[in-house]
Amino acid sequence: MDTSSIDRRRLLLGALGAGSLAAVSRVLLPQDARGAVAAADPVGTGPQKAIALAGTDGWVSMPANAPADPPFFPDPLAPSPFNTYVFGFRDVSGLSDTDLAAQRGKAQISAPILVFDEEDEITLSLYNLGLSQRPDLFDGHTMHWHGFTNAIPLFDGVPELSLSVPVGRRFDYFYKPHDAGTYMYHCHFEDVEHVQMGMTGMVWVRPKQNRTGVNGYPVGTKYAYNDGDGSTRYDREFGIILTELWSAAHYRDAHIQVSDWTDFDASFWLMNGRAYPDTLAPNGANSVARPDGGLQYRPDLDTASGRLQYQPNSSHITCVPGERVLVRLANLGFQDHSLTCDEIDLTVVAEDASLLRNGDVTNYQTTNTVNIGPGESRDLIFTAPAVGDYFLYDRRYSFQNNGGGAGYGGMMTQISVRPSLPAQTQPNL
Amino acid sequence: MTSSIPAKATGRPARASAPRFPARRRLLATATAGLLALGAAVVAQSAAHAGSSPSEGIVCDTAVNNTFTLGTRTGSVSTPDGNSIYSWGFADEGAGHGFQLPGPTLCVTSGDVVTVVLHNTLTEPVSIVFHGQSGVTANGSPAQPQFDAQHALTSLVQAAAPPDADAGVKVGSMTYSFTAGSPGTYLYASGTDVNKQVQMGLFGALVVRPKDHPHQATNAGTSATFNPDHEYLFVLSEIDPDIHLAVERGETPDWSSYQPRYFMINGRSMPDTLAPNNATYLPGQPYGAMVHIQPYSATNSAPALIRYLNAGTENYPFHPHGSDERIVNIDGHPTLGPTGQDLSYNKFDLNVQPGQSLDATMIWTDVDQWNPSTNPIPTKLPAITDQLLVGTDTWFSESPYLGVKGNVPTYITDNNQCGEYYHIAHSHALQQATNYGATFGGMMTLYRIDPPGGCK
């Protein structure tokens, strides 16, 4: 690697001097773990960010041509054009109290993508709007930022070890992320149920390197990590969260029944809350760009997306030959998945928000199949090949269907390489 | 024995009326109160203290000349929802121990010649495969797959025959021997009728330590040094109670309907994973799984070591909250590059595959140094009435600050002692974090982070 680069280890050991560095160069110190004290800026020194999420319930649509599975699917209680009951989060930042209250019963899946910078000081207000279909339940909700290192219990969202937000109340979580990467979030209240019902989303933390540039690449170049050499730079960025949907459980929640979660038996396999071919449909029609780089969707105002109204996140990947494309993967399902792209080499540069590098030793993996288990994340970079369409899909063919129906479904999306495209202004566009 | 397994559940009552294991939790609270009564005396003992059994962390069985005698036993496994499941297990006869799940943790040193004498008391052949060990012999001959007259595989290795009353043989026997290989964590398990015998509980862990460096996880130098007072073993497994019931009744199990309902760490499910080693109310499940540490600091710089071992049939995606873990060893192979580069890596979810072991180091750092006077949290702790504390127990201190304890409502059992932090660690295949579908159970434990200096 370029000797002019500053790698994290040297930065950490700088105060000890070169002699100490030489003496310990082959010793991995625990402080090389993410979140090391020396790397952290203290609270009070970072940009303030505020975001508000609401937890509630609602209705969405699995592919309309999936075979019926009476009485579970399509759910007879579902208002047209929907067929499946869900819980979910909504981004309610900036809404008036009246508008906020009106979001009850209007959950989306997958949850809003949250995008931050390293050292942001984030106040995340979580509102519990209750369940419009199930007013008999007094379930709390919480925010668990999965993978946030050195968390304290109050902000980690496990109700048995901290608290949960009752119906009609709000709690303000605080996070100061010190480590870039691809994370995820979910409700941890009766997690097996609330996660399955749809309270899952992604969190991305952008590296400081985005603001400084490195190795001759100009400021404004985008990187996935503080790689020190530009190896994680990219031109376009897409995020895909993987989950499964068990129709019987969703039906039971809508119909005042209970599920034995050890009977879990997936009916649909989802990317960003949709099953193929819905994975290719565009993003939701009503959104505003947030100053923090994310998109706030208002599916309640989206009159154009029909049955996908409350599933605003597309998984379609578009790029131009030669571009470097970052794909952030997260899995909050209950199953392992093997995402395959037959004709494009994928370089895995990070797992679980940790760059695959240890000091000076880089261990990126180039592959065509990426295995990702429940709760894991991966960052993939590929160089867009010749113009054409390529599939990214779960190689487990028994998952490649919708409700057991004929034809392709499940976790499958397309990488469409086109001669030219507008510059990407927002992820997943 | 008479079956005490209740009829298979067809559904649970509505949540609002379902008790959340009150009896078990009261008992757990009693155990916790006992720990409180001990106060500062509750200190994890060094695993190096041969002969004594620590109340926390790994329990090691060692043996003179590394010769162990393991006998098969039958017994019952208690689950937090009140089930009692007929099971089989290996017992350390040399230590005078009885039935246990998982089997005894055998601790040896790399390069030692290890002998394991297997005594079979069951009515079918039993064997032991030492996964990851090479050059194993059985009664002096190379351990080899066994076939019957029709060339059907009967066992992965030579087995101990069942007792034969007609021949006056009370206990079948087979003696295995091997030289302990690379340092790490390994599975030993029956190699005979493996589906059934491993499911019934015939498995355990072998821990191989580096020669001359017992407090390193590998031979890869000091990069895998750990604090021996904070060494933990997580043997991960699953139980299908219907299979166990069929075996108990002498029926043929129906493997086509195999469906695990209980998910275990060291043979226990949450909240029993929190009970100390050798808890008296879990006589057949001697090993706890709570991790108990203090924050990383200049004077507390050696990490904890957690040895993960998957004795089941599914991947177990284990997710510790609040800290990453650094994988330094996989199946006893250090995570090194071809020229010795340190390729260890951080994970916030350790996806342990069937039969696999992962050795990981772990620290928790008080990065933000929240302090009520000098650095208060920027948000407000709500009034208790706005907190929706869950269930009949809490581990919350009612304070954001490490070492500061607030007041918990009197109707909730308070498991927090001095303002210590608790983080959950659990399988993220979330149905594996349940007890027969009931949430906050299964393959789940807590990581306890005491303030510097510990609870006084």
Side-chain angles (χ1 to χ4, degrees), chain A residues 97-129:
Chain A
D97 288 345
T98 304
D99 275 344
L100 170 61
Q103 303 315 309
R104 175 183 163 111
K106 297 179 179 175
Q108 76 178 64
I109 66 165
S110 52
I113 299 173
L114 306 182
V115 183
F116 303 114
D117 289 309
E118 272 182 342
E119 311 306 338
D120 279 352
E121 298 189 2
I122 304 153
T123 300
L124 190 152
S125 301
L126 178 63
Y127 294 85
N128 183 345
L129 301 182

PDB file of all heavy atoms in Angstrom, chain A residues 97-129:
ATOM      1  N   ASP A  97     -47.928  17.599  15.080  1.00  0.00           N
ATOM      2  CA  ASP A  97     -48.541  16.605  15.954  1.00  0.00           C
ATOM      3  C   ASP A  97     -49.739  15.941  15.279  1.00  0.00           C
ATOM      4  O   ASP A  97     -49.955  14.735  15.408  1.00  0.00           O
ATOM      5  CB  ASP A  97     -48.991  17.259  17.268  1.00  0.00           C
ATOM      6  CG  ASP A  97     -47.810  17.618  18.153  1.00  0.00           C
ATOM      7  OD1 ASP A  97     -46.700  17.117  17.894  1.00  0.00           O
ATOM      8  OD2 ASP A  97     -48.006  18.409  19.099  1.00  0.00           O
ATOM      9  N   THR A  98     -50.506  16.743  14.564  1.00  0.00           N
ATOM     10  CA  THR A  98     -51.690  16.186  13.920  1.00  0.00           C
ATOM     11  C   THR A  98     -51.306  15.190  12.831  1.00  0.00           C
ATOM     12  O   THR A  98     -51.863  14.094  12.739  1.00  0.00           O
ATOM     13  CB  THR A  98     -52.536  17.327  13.316  1.00  0.00           C
ATOM     14  OG1 THR A  98     -52.841  18.262  14.354  1.00  0.00           O
ATOM     15  CG2 THR A  98     -53.827  16.788  12.723  1.00  0.00           C
ATOM     16  N   ASP A  99     -50.332  15.591  12.013  1.00  0.00           N
ATOM     17  CA  ASP A  99     -49.874  14.678  10.963  1.00  0.00           C
ATOM     18  C   ASP A  99     -49.238  13.435  11.560  1.00  0.00           C
ATOM     19  O   ASP A  99     -49.408  12.322  11.056  1.00  0.00           O
ATOM     20  CB  ASP A  99     -48.842  15.378  10.069  1.00  0.00           C
ATOM     21  CG  ASP A  99     -49.502  16.179   8.968  1.00  0.00           C
ATOM     22  OD1 ASP A  99     -50.704  15.956   8.714  1.00  0.00           O
ATOM     23  OD2 ASP A  99     -48.803  17.022   8.368  1.00  0.00           O
ATOM     24  N   LEU A 100     -48.480  13.624  12.641  1.00  0.00           N
ATOM     25  CA  LEU A 100     -47.845  12.484  13.302  1.00  0.00           C
ATOM     26  C   LEU A 100     -48.906  11.486  13.747  1.00  0.00           C
ATOM     27  O   LEU A 100     -48.822  10.288  13.462  1.00  0.00           O
ATOM     28  CB  LEU A 100     -47.026  12.977  14.496  1.00  0.00           C
ATOM     29  CG  LEU A 100     -46.472  11.914  15.448  1.00  0.00           C
ATOM     30  CD1 LEU A 100     -45.522  10.983  14.725  1.00  0.00           C
ATOM     31  CD2 LEU A 100     -45.766  12.581  16.627  1.00  0.00           C
ATOM     32  N   ALA A 101     -49.917  11.981  14.433  1.00  0.00           N
ATOM     33  CA  ALA A 101     -50.958  11.074  14.932  1.00  0.00           C
ATOM     34  C   ALA A 101     -51.658  10.361  13.787  1.00  0.00           C
ATOM     35  O   ALA A 101     -52.113   9.220  13.930  1.00  0.00           O
ATOM     36  CB  ALA A 101     -51.959  11.855  15.779  1.00  0.00           C
ATOM     37  N   ALA A 102     -51.730  11.016  12.634  1.00  0.00           N
ATOM     38  CA  ALA A 102     -52.428  10.425  11.488  1.00  0.00           C
ATOM     39  C   ALA A 102     -51.653   9.282  10.848  1.00  0.00           C
ATOM     40  O   ALA A 102     -52.172   8.600   9.971  1.00  0.00           O
ATOM     41  CB  ALA A 102     -52.716  11.507  10.451  1.00  0.00           C
ATOM     42  N   GLN A 103     -50.410   9.077  11.279  1.00  0.00           N
ATOM     43  CA  GLN A 103     -49.620   7.979  10.689  1.00  0.00           C
ATOM     44  C   GLN A 103     -49.912   6.632  11.345  1.00  0.00           C
ATOM     45  O   GLN A 103     -49.420   5.601  10.885  1.00  0.00           O
ATOM     46  CB  GLN A 103     -48.121   8.286  10.772  1.00  0.00           C
ATOM     47  CG  GLN A 103     -47.714   9.592  10.104  1.00  0.00           C
ATOM     48  CD  GLN A 103     -48.353   9.777   8.737  1.00  0.00           C
ATOM     49  OE1 GLN A 103     -48.288   8.896   7.878  1.00  0.00           O
ATOM     50  NE2 GLN A 103     -48.987  10.923   8.523  1.00  0.00           N
ATOM     51  N   ARG A 104     -50.692   6.646  12.390  1.00  0.00           N
ATOM     52  CA  ARG A 104     -51.069   5.372  13.017  1.00  0.00           C
ATOM     53  C   ARG A 104     -51.745   4.492  11.970  1.00  0.00           C
ATOM     54  O   ARG A 104     -52.623   4.938  11.237  1.00  0.00           O
ATOM     55  CB  ARG A 104     -52.017   5.646  14.182  1.00  0.00           C
ATOM     56  CG  ARG A 104     -52.584   4.410  14.860  1.00  0.00           C
ATOM     57  CD  ARG A 104     -53.558   4.858  15.950  1.00  0.00           C
ATOM     58  NE  ARG A 104     -54.435   3.785  16.382  1.00  0.00           N
ATOM     59  CZ  ARG A 104     -54.379   3.204  17.571  1.00  0.00           C
ATOM     60  NH1 ARG A 104     -53.461   3.585  18.430  1.00  0.00           N
ATOM     61  NH2 ARG A 104     -55.221   2.260  17.901  1.00  0.00           N
ATOM     62  N   GLY A 105     -51.318   3.238  11.896  1.00  0.00           N
ATOM     63  CA  GLY A 105     -51.896   2.324  10.921  1.00  0.00           C
ATOM     64  C   GLY A 105     -51.307   2.444   9.533  1.00  0.00           C
ATOM     65  O   GLY A 105     -51.782   1.801   8.600  1.00  0.00           O
ATOM     66  N   LYS A 106     -50.235   3.248   9.386  1.00  0.00           N
ATOM     67  CA  LYS A 106     -49.641   3.472   8.059  1.00  0.00           C
ATOM     68  C   LYS A 106     -48.158   3.128   8.065  1.00  0.00           C
ATOM     69  O   LYS A 106     -47.317   3.903   7.614  1.00  0.00           O
ATOM     70  CB  LYS A 106     -49.879   4.923   7.627  1.00  0.00           C
ATOM     71  CG  LYS A 106     -51.365   5.238   7.481  1.00  0.00           C
ATOM     72  CD  LYS A 106     -51.632   6.678   7.075  1.00  0.00           C
ATOM     73  CE  LYS A 106     -53.136   6.902   6.922  1.00  0.00           C
ATOM     74  NZ  LYS A 106     -53.454   8.323   6.654  1.00  0.00           N
ATOM     75  N   ALA A 107     -47.860   1.954   8.559  1.00  0.00           N
ATOM     76  CA  ALA A 107     -46.467   1.500   8.617  1.00  0.00           C
ATOM     77  C   ALA A 107     -45.946   1.211   7.220  1.00  0.00           C
ATOM     78  O   ALA A 107     -46.708   0.895   6.307  1.00  0.00           O
ATOM     79  CB  ALA A 107     -46.372   0.241   9.462  1.00  0.00           C
ATOM     80  N   GLN A 108     -44.627   1.305   7.081  1.00  0.00           N
ATOM     81  CA  GLN A 108     -44.003   0.883   5.836  1.00  0.00           C
ATOM     82  C   GLN A 108     -43.055  -0.280   6.108  1.00  0.00           C
ATOM     83  O   GLN A 108     -42.572  -0.451   7.231  1.00  0.00           O
ATOM     84  CB  GLN A 108     -43.224   2.032   5.179  1.00  0.00           C
ATOM     85  CG  GLN A 108     -41.894   2.336   5.853  1.00  0.00           C
ATOM     86  CD  GLN A 108     -41.109   3.450   5.167  1.00  0.00           C
ATOM     87  OE1 GLN A 108     -41.556   4.590   5.119  1.00  0.00           O
ATOM     88  NE2 GLN A 108     -39.935   3.125   4.666  1.00  0.00           N
ATOM     89  N   ILE A 109     -42.784  -1.091   5.122  1.00  0.00           N
ATOM     90  CA  ILE A 109     -41.681  -2.053   5.156  1.00  0.00           C
ATOM     91  C   ILE A 109     -40.879  -1.868   3.871  1.00  0.00           C
ATOM     92  O   ILE A 109     -41.464  -1.589   2.820  1.00  0.00           O
ATOM     93  CB  ILE A 109     -42.148  -3.517   5.310  1.00  0.00           C
ATOM     94  CG1 ILE A 109     -42.939  -4.011   4.095  1.00  0.00           C
ATOM     95  CG2 ILE A 109     -42.936  -3.728   6.584  1.00  0.00           C
ATOM     96  CD1 ILE A 109     -43.102  -5.524   4.049  1.00  0.00           C
ATOM     97  N   SER A 110     -39.566  -2.058   3.816  1.00  0.00           N
ATOM     98  CA  SER A 110     -38.753  -2.039   5.005  1.00  0.00           C
ATOM     99  C   SER A 110     -38.705  -0.625   5.571  1.00  0.00           C
ATOM    100  O   SER A 110     -39.143   0.318   4.930  1.00  0.00           O
ATOM    101  CB  SER A 110     -37.357  -2.550   4.685  1.00  0.00           C
ATOM    102  OG  SER A 110     -36.806  -1.859   3.593  1.00  0.00           O
ATOM    103  N   ALA A 111     -38.157  -0.514   6.767  1.00  0.00           N
ATOM    104  CA  ALA A 111     -38.167   0.767   7.460  1.00  0.00           C
ATOM    105  C   ALA A 111     -37.287   1.785   6.733  1.00  0.00           C
ATOM    106  O   ALA A 111     -36.453   1.421   5.897  1.00  0.00           O
ATOM    107  CB  ALA A 111     -37.679   0.570   8.893  1.00  0.00           C
ATOM    108  N   PRO A 112     -37.459   3.055   7.061  1.00  0.00           N
ATOM    109  CA  PRO A 112     -36.637   4.087   6.422  1.00  0.00           C
ATOM    110  C   PRO A 112     -35.143   3.800   6.568  1.00  0.00           C
ATOM    111  O   PRO A 112     -34.693   3.360   7.622  1.00  0.00           O
ATOM    112  CB  PRO A 112     -37.021   5.362   7.183  1.00  0.00           C
ATOM    113  CG  PRO A 112     -38.395   5.098   7.698  1.00  0.00           C
ATOM    114  CD  PRO A 112     -38.434   3.638   8.002  1.00  0.00           C
ATOM    115  N   ILE A 113     -34.391   4.053   5.492  1.00  0.00           N
ATOM    116  CA  ILE A 113     -32.937   3.933   5.552  1.00  0.00           C
ATOM    117  C   ILE A 113     -32.403   5.167   6.275  1.00  0.00           C
ATOM    118  O   ILE A 113     -32.696   6.299   5.885  1.00  0.00           O
ATOM    119  CB  ILE A 113     -32.336   3.837   4.138  1.00  0.00           C
ATOM    120  CG1 ILE A 113     -32.870   2.590   3.416  1.00  0.00           C
ATOM    121  CG2 ILE A 113     -30.813   3.791   4.217  1.00  0.00           C
ATOM    122  CD1 ILE A 113     -32.451   2.504   1.956  1.00  0.00           C
ATOM    123  N   LEU A 114     -31.626   4.943   7.329  1.00  0.00           N
ATOM    124  CA  LEU A 114     -31.046   6.052   8.091  1.00  0.00           C
ATOM    125  C   LEU A 114     -29.595   6.207   7.680  1.00  0.00           C
ATOM    126  O   LEU A 114     -28.848   5.225   7.653  1.00  0.00           O
ATOM    127  CB  LEU A 114     -31.140   5.766   9.595  1.00  0.00           C
ATOM    128  CG  LEU A 114     -32.535   5.420  10.133  1.00  0.00           C
ATOM    129  CD1 LEU A 114     -32.481   5.204  11.645  1.00  0.00           C
ATOM    130  CD2 LEU A 114     -33.543   6.516   9.800  1.00  0.00           C
ATOM    131  N   VAL A 115     -29.197   7.415   7.369  1.00  0.00           N
ATOM    132  CA  VAL A 115     -27.842   7.678   6.882  1.00  0.00           C
ATOM    133  C   VAL A 115     -27.222   8.771   7.736  1.00  0.00           C
ATOM    134  O   VAL A 115     -27.814   9.842   7.889  1.00  0.00           O
ATOM    135  CB  VAL A 115     -27.857   8.113   5.404  1.00  0.00           C
ATOM    136  CG1 VAL A 115     -26.439   8.305   4.900  1.00  0.00           C
ATOM    137  CG2 VAL A 115     -28.582   7.079   4.549  1.00  0.00           C
ATOM    138  N   PHE A 116     -26.046   8.490   8.286  1.00  0.00           N
ATOM    139  CA  PHE A 116     -25.366   9.460   9.135  1.00  0.00           C
ATOM    140  C   PHE A 116     -23.892   9.520   8.757  1.00  0.00           C
ATOM    141  O   PHE A 116     -23.404   8.693   7.985  1.00  0.00           O
ATOM    142  CB  PHE A 116     -25.493   9.058  10.616  1.00  0.00           C
ATOM    143  CG  PHE A 116     -26.914   8.918  11.084  1.00  0.00           C
ATOM    144  CD1 PHE A 116     -27.414   7.674  11.454  1.00  0.00           C
ATOM    145  CD2 PHE A 116     -27.750  10.024  11.157  1.00  0.00           C
ATOM    146  CE1 PHE A 116     -28.730   7.535  11.887  1.00  0.00           C
ATOM    147  CE2 PHE A 116     -29.062   9.891  11.589  1.00  0.00           C
ATOM    148  CZ  PHE A 116     -29.552   8.642  11.953  1.00  0.00           C
ATOM    149  N   ASP A 117     -23.207  10.499   9.342  1.00  0.00           N
ATOM    150  CA  ASP A 117     -21.758  10.575   9.215  1.00  0.00           C
ATOM    151  C   ASP A 117     -21.123  10.165  10.538  1.00  0.00           C
ATOM    152  O   ASP A 117     -21.720  10.339  11.604  1.00  0.00           O
ATOM    153  CB  ASP A 117     -21.317  12.008   8.895  1.00  0.00           C
ATOM    154  CG  ASP A 117     -21.695  12.412   7.484  1.00  0.00           C
ATOM    155  OD1 ASP A 117     -21.380  11.656   6.556  1.00  0.00           O
ATOM    156  OD2 ASP A 117     -22.320  13.479   7.313  1.00  0.00           O
ATOM    157  N   GLU A 118     -19.903   9.672  10.450  1.00  0.00           N
ATOM    158  CA  GLU A 118     -19.162   9.408  11.685  1.00  0.00           C
ATOM    159  C   GLU A 118     -19.113  10.674  12.530  1.00  0.00           C
ATOM    160  O   GLU A 118     -18.910  11.768  12.000  1.00  0.00           O
ATOM    161  CB  GLU A 118     -17.721   8.993  11.358  1.00  0.00           C
ATOM    162  CG  GLU A 118     -17.535   7.523  11.124  1.00  0.00           C
ATOM    163  CD  GLU A 118     -16.075   7.172  10.845  1.00  0.00           C
ATOM    164  OE1 GLU A 118     -15.287   8.067  10.501  1.00  0.00           O
ATOM    165  OE2 GLU A 118     -15.735   5.993  10.970  1.00  0.00           O
ATOM    166  N   GLU A 119     -19.290  10.490  13.828  1.00  0.00           N
ATOM    167  CA  GLU A 119     -19.237  11.550  14.844  1.00  0.00           C
ATOM    168  C   GLU A 119     -20.446  12.476  14.834  1.00  0.00           C
ATOM    169  O   GLU A 119     -20.461  13.452  15.593  1.00  0.00           O
ATOM    170  CB  GLU A 119     -17.929  12.358  14.775  1.00  0.00           C
ATOM    171  CG  GLU A 119     -16.648  11.537  14.715  1.00  0.00           C
ATOM    172  CD  GLU A 119     -16.487  10.508  15.836  1.00  0.00           C
ATOM    173  OE1 GLU A 119     -17.116  10.662  16.900  1.00  0.00           O
ATOM    174  OE2 GLU A 119     -15.739   9.532  15.635  1.00  0.00           O
ATOM    175  N   ASP A 120     -21.444  12.172  14.015  1.00  0.00           N
ATOM    176  CA  ASP A 120     -22.708  12.906  14.190  1.00  0.00           C
ATOM    177  C   ASP A 120     -23.235  12.651  15.595  1.00  0.00           C
ATOM    178  O   ASP A 120     -23.016  11.570  16.155  1.00  0.00           O
ATOM    179  CB  ASP A 120     -23.762  12.399  13.196  1.00  0.00           C
ATOM    180  CG  ASP A 120     -23.609  13.001  11.815  1.00  0.00           C
ATOM    181  OD1 ASP A 120     -22.793  13.932  11.644  1.00  0.00           O
ATOM    182  OD2 ASP A 120     -24.327  12.534  10.906  1.00  0.00           O
ATOM    183  N   GLU A 121     -23.932  13.618  16.133  1.00  0.00           N
ATOM    184  CA  GLU A 121     -24.596  13.425  17.428  1.00  0.00           C
ATOM    185  C   GLU A 121     -26.087  13.391  17.154  1.00  0.00           C
ATOM    186  O   GLU A 121     -26.708  14.399  16.851  1.00  0.00           O
ATOM    187  CB  GLU A 121     -24.176  14.532  18.396  1.00  0.00           C
ATOM    188  CG  GLU A 121     -22.668  14.431  18.622  1.00  0.00           C
ATOM    189  CD  GLU A 121     -22.113  15.308  19.713  1.00  0.00           C
ATOM    190  OE1 GLU A 121     -22.895  16.016  20.370  1.00  0.00           O
ATOM    191  OE2 GLU A 121     -20.882  15.269  19.905  1.00  0.00           O
ATOM    192  N   ILE A 122     -26.620  12.191  17.239  1.00  0.00           N
ATOM    193  CA  ILE A 122     -27.940  11.878  16.712  1.00  0.00           C
ATOM    194  C   ILE A 122     -28.925  11.714  17.850  1.00  0.00           C
ATOM    195  O   ILE A 122     -28.738  10.852  18.718  1.00  0.00           O
ATOM    196  CB  ILE A 122     -27.889  10.566  15.906  1.00  0.00           C
ATOM    197  CG1 ILE A 122     -26.837  10.657  14.795  1.00  0.00           C
ATOM    198  CG2 ILE A 122     -29.268  10.217  15.359  1.00  0.00           C
ATOM    199  CD1 ILE A 122     -26.274   9.309  14.397  1.00  0.00           C
ATOM    200  N   THR A 123     -29.954  12.532  17.836  1.00  0.00           N
ATOM    201  CA  THR A 123     -31.079  12.287  18.732  1.00  0.00           C
ATOM    202  C   THR A 123     -32.177  11.658  17.891  1.00  0.00           C
ATOM    203  O   THR A 123     -32.637  12.260  16.918  1.00  0.00           O
ATOM    204  CB  THR A 123     -31.574  13.591  19.372  1.00  0.00           C
ATOM    205  OG1 THR A 123     -30.494  14.156  20.123  1.00  0.00           O
ATOM    206  CG2 THR A 123     -32.747  13.316  20.297  1.00  0.00           C
ATOM    207  N   LEU A 124     -32.529  10.442  18.249  1.00  0.00           N
ATOM    208  CA  LEU A 124     -33.553   9.709  17.509  1.00  0.00           C
ATOM    209  C   LEU A 124     -34.766   9.570  18.422  1.00  0.00           C
ATOM    210  O   LEU A 124     -34.727   8.847  19.421  1.00  0.00           O
ATOM    211  CB  LEU A 124     -33.017   8.340  17.082  1.00  0.00           C
ATOM    212  CG  LEU A 124     -33.892   7.566  16.103  1.00  0.00           C
ATOM    213  CD1 LEU A 124     -33.035   6.634  15.252  1.00  0.00           C
ATOM    214  CD2 LEU A 124     -34.978   6.766  16.806  1.00  0.00           C
ATOM    215  N   SER A 125     -35.826  10.272  18.061  1.00  0.00           N
ATOM    216  CA  SER A 125     -37.054  10.234  18.863  1.00  0.00           C
ATOM    217  C   SER A 125     -37.941   9.120  18.344  1.00  0.00           C
ATOM    218  O   SER A 125     -38.259   9.087  17.155  1.00  0.00           O
ATOM    219  CB  SER A 125     -37.797  11.565  18.760  1.00  0.00           C
ATOM    220  OG  SER A 125     -36.964  12.613  19.203  1.00  0.00           O
ATOM    221  N   LEU A 126     -38.308   8.214  19.218  1.00  0.00           N
ATOM    222  CA  LEU A 126     -39.176   7.107  18.819  1.00  0.00           C
ATOM    223  C   LEU A 126     -40.554   7.307  19.437  1.00  0.00           C
ATOM    224  O   LEU A 126     -40.698   7.377  20.665  1.00  0.00           O
ATOM    225  CB  LEU A 126     -38.588   5.769  19.281  1.00  0.00           C
ATOM    226  CG  LEU A 126     -39.457   4.544  18.951  1.00  0.00           C
ATOM    227  CD1 LEU A 126     -39.619   4.376  17.444  1.00  0.00           C
ATOM    228  CD2 LEU A 126     -38.873   3.284  19.576  1.00  0.00           C
ATOM    229  N   TYR A 127     -41.553   7.391  18.567  1.00  0.00           N
ATOM    230  CA  TYR A 127     -42.947   7.504  19.000  1.00  0.00           C
ATOM    231  C   TYR A 127     -43.623   6.151  18.838  1.00  0.00           C
ATOM    232  O   TYR A 127     -43.400   5.448  17.850  1.00  0.00           O
ATOM    233  CB  TYR A 127     -43.699   8.515  18.126  1.00  0.00           C
ATOM    234  CG  TYR A 127     -43.230   9.939  18.270  1.00  0.00           C
ATOM    235  CD1 TYR A 127     -42.149  10.414  17.526  1.00  0.00           C
ATOM    236  CD2 TYR A 127     -43.865  10.822  19.140  1.00  0.00           C
ATOM    237  CE1 TYR A 127     -41.712  11.724  17.653  1.00  0.00           C
ATOM    238  CE2 TYR A 127     -43.435  12.135  19.267  1.00  0.00           C
ATOM    239  CZ  TYR A 127     -42.363  12.579  18.526  1.00  0.00           C
ATOM    240  OH  TYR A 127     -41.936  13.867  18.651  1.00  0.00           O
ATOM    241  N   ASN A 128     -44.464   5.801  19.778  1.00  0.00           N
ATOM    242  CA  ASN A 128     -45.268   4.582  19.652  1.00  0.00           C
ATOM    243  C   ASN A 128     -46.704   5.017  19.387  1.00  0.00           C
ATOM    244  O   ASN A 128     -47.375   5.556  20.276  1.00  0.00           O
ATOM    245  CB  ASN A 128     -45.171   3.746  20.929  1.00  0.00           C
ATOM    246  CG  ASN A 128     -45.927   2.430  20.818  1.00  0.00           C
ATOM    247  OD1 ASN A 128     -46.751   2.247  19.918  1.00  0.00           O
ATOM    248  ND2 ASN A 128     -45.659   1.515  21.744  1.00  0.00           N
ATOM    249  N   LEU A 129     -47.158   4.810  18.156  1.00  0.00           N
ATOM    250  CA  LEU A 129     -48.499   5.262  17.771  1.00  0.00           C
ATOM    251  C   LEU A 129     -49.569   4.219  18.053  1.00  0.00           C
ATOM    252  O   LEU A 129     -50.749   4.477  17.821  1.00  0.00           O
ATOM    253  CB  LEU A 129     -48.519   5.621  16.280  1.00  0.00           C
ATOM    254  CG  LEU A 129     -47.543   6.711  15.846  1.00  0.00           C
ATOM    255  CD1 LEU A 129     -47.704   7.013  14.367  1.00  0.00           C
ATOM    256  CD2 LEU A 129     -47.744   7.969  16.682  1.00  0.00           C
TER     257      LEU A 129
END
